[in-house]
Amino acid sequence: MSLAVVIPTLNEEAALPGLFDSLKRQSAPAKRVVVADGGSSDGTAEVARRHGAAVVAAPGRGRGGQVAAALSEVSEKIILVAHADMRLPEDALVAIRNWLADHPECPGGCLGHRFDRRALALRLIEWFDARRAWRGESYGDQGQFFQVEGLRSAGGFPDQPIMEDIELSRRLRSLGKSAYLDVPVVVSSRRFERLGWARVLWNNWWLRRRYRREGLVAYRDLYGSYYGETGDTIRNCSRT
């Protein structure tokens, strides 16, 4: 089954090599890797090309818009959305292919995640996030994947600057039962370290709750709350 990896980026020159190394170690590599760049001012695009990835420019559209722009350039049937700070286990892509081959009715799902630090608070977050993913409520840092044709019937990938992962999870659930493969990617704990885990958890809960209640009408304010920008200066939200 043909599979492509799409990576939304913004100034991720330092993080990308580790992700590409993990992609090269896959037991069944992706047919195509596309970096959807939001207007980086560092060497992100050069790093991507040096590692054999195609680069799609999508400045000012936010992470959801970046992924949507990349999808217009690929023809693969399965898409994995990978963040720049992710490190994939060697069996990640073959696990996705095997699951969807055995469960062709499955619209998509996620791999799962664990943090690069083993602090107790972070392990608890992993546990709760896994429980949500079992119910079909996955997040972007859990390695979300989907079948392109099926998602198209539910409106396609959500072209929006924030909460695109929540909306993607919602659209997949409307199509059937989502998968949680428990083949966790390793993700950076940098945001928790910078802001503190209690603050991050509170902000994430509040933002998700407001999005579920108000939907896209609130996305400008949500963006400002999450990224520290006002609603009329939305530029890009691909950074974690």
Side-chain angles (χ1 to χ4, degrees):
M1 301 180 72
S2 59
L3 183 151
V5 178
V6 173
I7 310 166
T9 60
L10 179 63
N11 294 330
E12 294 287 7
E13 175 184 12
L16 273 178
L19 171 59
F20 282 119
D21 286 345
S22 71
L23 287 171
K24 290 175 181 177
R25 290 195 297 268
Q26 293 299 301
S27 56
K31 182 178 180 181
R32 191 194 316 259
V33 179
V34 181
V35 167
D37 190 61
S40 295
S41 58
D42 64 359
T44 293
E46 290 75 14
V47 170
R49 294 189 181 97
R50 190 163 65 244
H51 284 84
V55 178
V56 174
R61 294 183 61 177
R63 186 157 53 200
Q66 289 170 241
V67 175
L71 291 180
S72 67
E73 304 292 326
V74 302
S75 57
E76 285 70 23
K77 298 180 181 298
I78 307 167
I79 302 296
L80 168 67
V81 180
H83 294 184
D85 66 349
M86 283 181 180
R87 307 295 179 260
L88 278 65
E90 294 181 4
D91 57 345
L93 301 189
V94 74
I96 294 172
R97 289 189 178 98
N98 287 346
W99 179 267
L100 293 179
D102 292 340
H103 304 83
E105 75 287 351
C106 177
C110 76
L111 292 165
H113 71 173
R114 64 181 178 87
F115 292 100
D116 56 3
R117 289 181 59 241
R118 305 310 295 154
L120 178 59
L122 296 176
R123 295 180 71 178
L124 288 173
I125 293 168
E126 293 169 3
W127 188 87
F128 280 110
D129 285 352
R131 302 285 77 71
R132 292 190 183 95
W134 275 113
R135 300 194 302 268
E137 300 176 14
S138 60
Y139 301 143
D141 61 357
Q142 291 179 293
Q144 292 177 308
F145 61 89
F146 55 88
Q147 298 204 58
V148 174
E149 194 61 36
L151 184 61
R152 189 175 291 125
S153 67
F157 191 89
D159 184 351
Q160 58 193 63
I162 193 169
M163 298 293 169
E164 80 292 333
D165 56 343
I166 301 298
E167 183 62 29
L168 172 61
S169 181
R170 178 185 294 177
R171 294 183 186 186
L172 291 177
R173 292 201 309 275
S174 75
L175 295 169
K177 182 174 176 53
S178 297
Y180 174 69
L181 300 190
D182 196 19
V183 183
V185 302
V186 177
V187 295
S188 173
S189 58
R190 57 186 174 176
R191 186 163 174 262
F192 291 90
E193 294 170 351
R194 185 173 72 248
L195 301 176
W197 67 270
R199 179 182 174 188
V200 172
L201 288 179
W202 170 258
N203 286 345
N204 287 350
W205 176 84
W206 182 83
L207 290 167
R208 288 193 295 265
R209 182 173 182 271
R210 187 172 177 193
Y211 180 76
R212 289 187 180 105
R213 294 177 63 181
E214 301 180 44
L216 281 179
V217 297
Y219 82 86
R220 291 180 181 271
D221 290 341
L222 292 174
Y223 185 96
S225 298
Y226 192 77
Y227 293 100
E229 300 197 22
T230 58
D232 58 352
T233 59
I234 291 177
R235 293 194 299 272
N236 194 287
C237 63
S238 66
R239 301 192 69 175
T240 55

